[in-house]
Amino acid sequence: MEYCIRELVREDYGLLKDFLYEAIFVPEGMPAPPRSIVEKPELRVYLEDFGNRKGDMGLIAEVWGKAAGAVWVRIMNDYGHVDDSTPSFAISLYKEYRGLGIGTAMMKSMLQLLRQRGYTRGSLAVQKANYAVNMYRRLGFRVVGENDEEYIMVCSLV
């Protein structure tokens, strides 16, 4: 499948709410939460005023000119927060584009962009049961903390 990855522009910001919903891990056999879940304060932090803070940046994956996925980072007090100078990741793909290598390509591109902009590491939180844990490990993310359900992972960029 042919795709391209490009920088997120202001006109794309409206897509982030949809991609945030898609980023919510739903275990096999469990019902998906209502779309309104993205309005909860602990999730709104990924979207509020995006593009207006230092460190806000993102990428969009397009397949045949249509947005298929997004990865974005910002320095925020989210589930993957480790300190006030490390951007936290959010990433998702629409279901029909998962498992095709697009997510890995988006992550590699974002890690490179963070390096170019002088960041020394990136962080994320991921549910332990999420198949993406293995992708993050392959990309160099290491577990630095955990709770019953999630890993906090950090990737060094130096």
Side-chain angles (χ1 to χ4, degrees), residues 141-155:
F141 282 84
R142 299 290 169 247
V143 174
V144 297
E146 65 182 280
N147 59 37
D148 288 343
E149 295 181 6
E150 292 183 319
Y151 293 123
I152 307 301
M153 301 180 85
V154 169
C155 182

Side-chain angles (χ1 to χ4, degrees), residues 70-71 89-93 99-108 111 124 126 130-142 153 155:
V71 58
F89 276 77
I91 181 173
S92 72
L93 287 154
L100 302 172
I102 299 171
T104 297
M106 285 194 309
M107 288 294 291
K108 285 180 178 178
L111 290 167
L124 57 82
V126 60
N130 190 327
Y131 65 90
V133 169
N134 293 324
M135 173 187 66
Y136 299 141
R137 284 192 168 121
R138 284 193 311 273
L139 290 168
F141 282 84
R142 299 290 169 247
M153 301 180 85
C155 182

Side-chain angles (χ1 to χ4, degrees), residues 23-145:
I24 296 168
F25 177 69
V26 180
E28 193 72 38
M30 297 295 292
R35 292 190 89 72
S36 61
I37 194 170
V38 299
E39 299 300 333
K40 289 188 166 214
E42 61 269 24
L43 293 178
R44 281 201 334 249
V45 69
Y46 290 91
L47 304 173
E48 280 184 337
D49 294 326
F50 189 85
N52 294 321
R53 293 191 206 159
K54 180 185 181 295
D56 285 359
M57 62 187 102
L59 301 169
I60 292 279
E62 290 183 342
V63 176
W64 299 299
K66 176 185 174 257
V71 58
W72 67 102
V73 297
R74 75 184 329 188
I75 296 171
M76 60 185 152
N77 191 7
D78 70 325
Y79 297 107
H81 179 80
V82 292
D83 64 42
D84 292 338
S85 61
T86 302
S88 295
F89 276 77
I91 181 173
S92 72
L93 287 154
Y94 290 126
K95 288 178 180 55
E96 63 266 32
Y97 301 109
R98 294 177 187 167
L100 302 172
I102 299 171
T104 297
M106 285 194 309
M107 288 294 291
K108 285 180 178 178
S109 295
M110 181 54 80
L111 290 167
Q112 183 60 33
L113 186 59
L114 287 171
R115 272 188 205 93
Q116 290 169 356
R117 302 227 174 135
Y119 291 94
T120 58
R121 63 187 186 163
S123 67
L124 57 82
V126 60
Q127 292 211 317
K128 293 176 178 181
N130 190 327
Y131 65 90
V133 169
N134 293 324
M135 173 187 66
Y136 299 141
R137 284 192 168 121
R138 284 193 311 273
L139 290 168
F141 282 84
R142 299 290 169 247
V143 174
V144 297

Side-chain angles (χ1 to χ4, degrees), residues 2-20:
E2 201 167 309
Y3 62 90
C4 72
I5 296 172
R6 62 169 177 79
E7 280 202 53
L8 185 75
V9 294
R10 191 163 295 281
E11 293 77 34
D12 297 319
Y13 292 174
L15 295 171
L16 293 181
K17 185 182 268 191
D18 206 29
F19 284 120
L20 180 60

